[in-house]
Amino acid sequence: MSDAAERHRRQVESWNGPMGQQWAQNEARTERGLMPLTEALLAAAAAQPGERVLDIGCGCGGYTLALGRAVGATGRVTGADVSTAVLEVAEATKADNTGYVLADASTHDFAGTAADLLTSRFGVMFFGDPDAAFANLHRALKPSGRLVFACWRAVADNPWARIPQQAIFSVIDRPPPPHPEEPGPFAFGDEARIRRILAAGGFKDPAITPFDFEMLFPADPAAAAAAISTGPIGGRLLRDKPDEVRAAAVAAIAAAVTPCVSNGFTRLGASVWIVIARA
Ligand SMILES: C[S@@+](CC[C@H](N)C(=O)[O-])C[C@H]1O[C@@H](n2cnc3c(N)ncnc32)[C@H](O)[C@@H]1O
């Protein structure tokens, strides 16, 4: 198995294991936290009544349902995800014009999909071979179709990730830096890399725009830290640690986020790229 294939296999395994379970458990909190971004992404996607839409890495379906409201009764939104845990949540809340498919989007045969819009909220950064995966996604679009997705910028630009990560590294050893092509939430932080992947996939005229917002956590830093410790950063770094290490990390996160409390919330900055391209 090539290194890229092995990196991909680890991602699929993780989304069908602890990552997927954690994402499913935190669904309501995640949806609330991402609301400003969801609105901006929906505006960029500009889904129209009657359109066919494919939502890649749809997770528990919150964004899929919002797209369904935009395309109306004559449109159709299909969410594709590789994780059974998140699709169970999505299936339980699906609407008449939304449906889901359990699929690895990097290789799934999308021939015949003829989507007007291929979109994703944080679901396209987990492919071991992103060039090949985006070439595969390209086949799902009509010739007149468009691609619109959101991905995180670098950790350094995301205090919601950077601050807890630094706090956790005061308690546990910092793991070695990831391989430059390692898939993961921050794999698309580098704008030049996104442009390379889009070009390799056959997408044209990319527009890559930064969008900043605040992630809101409970005003009590201890409660905020408890939530953060099971989120994308804390979950990954602390999942296998003994209780006393996790408790020390939660205390360190609480101390680190205390200066970020104002007006009823712990407010941590978030920054993403909103990417638009043509088929
Ligand atoms: C960070 S979550 C985002 C979920 C959802 N889009 C949201 O915003 O709530 C990433 C999602 O991508 C899915 N995913 C990862 N690799 C995938 C692949 N190769 N094919 C399809 N989905 C994948 C995961 O299972 C997960 O549900």
Side-chain angles (χ1 to χ4, degrees):
M1 189 182 266
S2 69
D3 289 352
E6 172 55 20
R7 287 195 282 272
H8 190 81
R9 189 201 61 74
R10 281 201 305 266
Q11 284 295 323
V12 172
E13 185 179 75
S14 158
W15 284 108
N16 272 295
M19 282 290 288
Q21 280 154 15
Q22 211 152 51
W23 199 263
Q25 276 159 15
N26 292 339
E27 189 267 332
R29 194 174 77 207
T30 304
E31 214 49 56
R32 275 196 306 277
L34 295 180
M35 211 177 290
L37 180 260
T38 305
E39 283 172 16
L41 186 59
L42 285 168
Q48 301 299 310
E51 283 194 326
R52 295 177 74 87
V53 180
L54 182 58
D55 178 9
I56 299 297
C58 61
C60 303
Y63 178 51
T64 322
L65 287 173
L67 291 161
R69 290 189 283 277
V71 300
T74 56
R76 179 88 194 150
V77 186
T78 303
D81 204 289
V82 79
S83 163
T84 48
V86 298
L87 285 186
E88 266 175 34
V89 180
E91 286 284 353
T93 56
K94 74 178 172 194
D96 287 347
N97 65 349
T98 61
Y100 297 98
V101 53
L102 177 65
D104 182 338
S106 69
T107 51
H108 184 74
D109 182 2
F110 289 113
T113 304
D116 300 286
L117 168 65
L118 181 62
T119 188
S120 181
R121 190 183 69 181
F122 301 135
V124 292
M125 305 90 85
F126 304 99
F127 305 130
D129 182 348
D131 295 11
F134 271 70
N136 187 52
L137 292 177
H138 191 273
R139 294 184 194 108
L141 272 176
K142 283 180 180 170
S144 60
R146 62 202 187 278
L147 168 71
V148 181
F149 69 84
C151 56
W152 295 112
R153 295 174 69 191
V155 174
D157 298 322
N158 277 287
W160 72 268
R162 189 189 70 231
I163 294 172
Q165 190 170 284
Q166 277 168 351
I168 292 169
F169 289 155
S170 71
V171 173
I172 67 168
D173 288 340
R174 184 185 283 266
H179 185 280
E181 293 286 321
E182 185 69 34
F186 300 99
F188 278 30
D190 176 10
E191 186 184 345
R193 182 165 190 259
I194 302 176
R195 287 186 191 278
R196 185 208 79 199
I197 292 166
L198 291 176
F203 292 95
K204 302 185 194 75
D205 301 335
I208 304 181
T209 312
F211 176 78
D212 296 339
F213 63 107
E214 277 183 337
M215 302 263 269
L216 303 182
F217 295 90
D220 172 13
I228 290 166
S229 72
T230 64
I233 299 298
R236 186 170 49 86
L237 292 171
L238 298 172
R239 191 174 293 125
D240 303 329
K241 298 288 183 267
D243 287 350
E244 63 275 15
V245 173
R246 258 187 286 129
V250 171
I253 298 170
V257 301
T258 296
C260 308
V261 178
S262 70
N263 294 330
F265 291 100
T266 299
R267 296 168 183 270
L268 299 178
S271 106
V272 306
W273 296 119
I274 293 184
V275 178
I276 304 180
R278 285 194 304 111

